[in-house]
Amino acid sequence: MSFFDFYKIQTFKLIELKYFILLHCKDTKKMTAIYTGKIIHGKKNGRKFGFPTVNILLDSDQQITDTGVFATQVNVLDKSFQGMLYVGYRKTLDLSHLSIEINIFDFNEDIYDHTIKFQILKKIRSDQTFDTIDQLIKQIQLDEIEIKKYFASC
């Protein structure tokens, strides 16, 4: 086998691997919409819990029909980030309106009033109510670990 033949085989395998990873990390049959919204001020509970989030007001023609915690890919300030998306009613905090918020990994910038785009990649768990804030924080820590494992496998 010549070097050129070896190179062609290895290149093909690399392309095949990239294709497999893309399919593994992004279920193209589910949750592939790209959502767009404006970053708004929230109650800053996430920051108090050690997980600062951006709160999102979706464009009026969009809605997310499922609640829970999700792995998400985010685009803001013309850069791409990974993150942990929460969609739910925050009953543990005695709140009742729908909240859409993202903890963007490795990010710390003031982006209020900017536009954000994000894509839901994988559901981690359904929305839950916890008896205490400590239980909520422990679950968020577990969610973060699970989502980072998911991204590491991509």
Side-chain angles (χ1 to χ4, degrees):
M1 175 185 293
S2 72
F3 174 77
F4 183 73
D5 290 334
F6 177 78
Y7 177 79
K8 282 177 24 182
I9 291 168
Q10 295 306 311
T11 302
F12 176 76
K13 287 183 179 179
L14 182 60
I15 291 168
E16 189 177 78
L17 178 63
K18 283 182 179 178
Y19 184 71
F20 170 77
I21 289 170
L22 180 65
L23 290 179
H24 169 72
C25 294
K26 188 174 179 184
D27 186 344
T28 56
K29 294 179 183 172
K30 297 184 204 173
M31 301 186 210
T32 57
I34 295 174
Y35 298 95
T36 304
K38 181 180 175 182
I39 298 170
I40 58 173
H41 289 274
K43 297 190 179 292
K44 305 203 179 358
N45 287 316
R47 182 173 293 146
K48 293 176 201 168
F49 302 156
F51 295 91
T53 61
V54 294
N55 292 266
I56 301 163
L57 178 62
L58 284 182
D59 288 353
S60 60
D61 62 336
Q62 295 184 323
Q63 71 178 48
I64 300 174
T65 57
D66 198 3
T67 61
V69 175
F70 306 86
T72 186
Q73 191 71 34
V74 177
N75 187 287
V76 66
L77 301 177
D78 295 321
K79 296 178 187 168
S80 184
F81 300 92
Q82 298 168 344
M84 176 169 48
L85 167 68
Y86 170 75
V87 180
Y89 294 94
R90 301 180 298 170
K91 293 180 182 176
T92 302
L93 303 176
D94 291 326
L95 300 170
S96 60
H97 68 280
L98 182 68
S99 178
I100 301 169
E101 50 192 282
I102 300 174
N103 171 249
I104 304 173
F105 300 150
D106 304 315
F107 186 85
N108 186 22
E109 294 188 41
D110 182 356
I111 52 174
Y112 291 114
D113 298 322
H114 283 270
T115 297
I116 189 169
K117 294 183 179 188
F118 63 96
Q119 188 171 23
I120 297 172
L121 301 179
K122 180 181 179 187
K123 184 170 186 173
I124 302 302
R125 66 172 172 87
S126 297
D127 195 11
Q128 293 176 252
T129 303
F130 299 92
D131 294 329
T132 68
I133 298 298
D134 286 338
Q135 288 175 344
L136 170 62
I137 292 169
K138 285 178 183 164
Q139 184 59 56
I140 294 171
Q141 291 168 339
L142 294 173
D143 296 339
E144 180 184 39
I145 291 167
E146 183 71 23
I147 290 170
K148 285 185 174 182
K149 280 183 188 175
Y150 167 76
F151 282 119
S153 73
C154 292

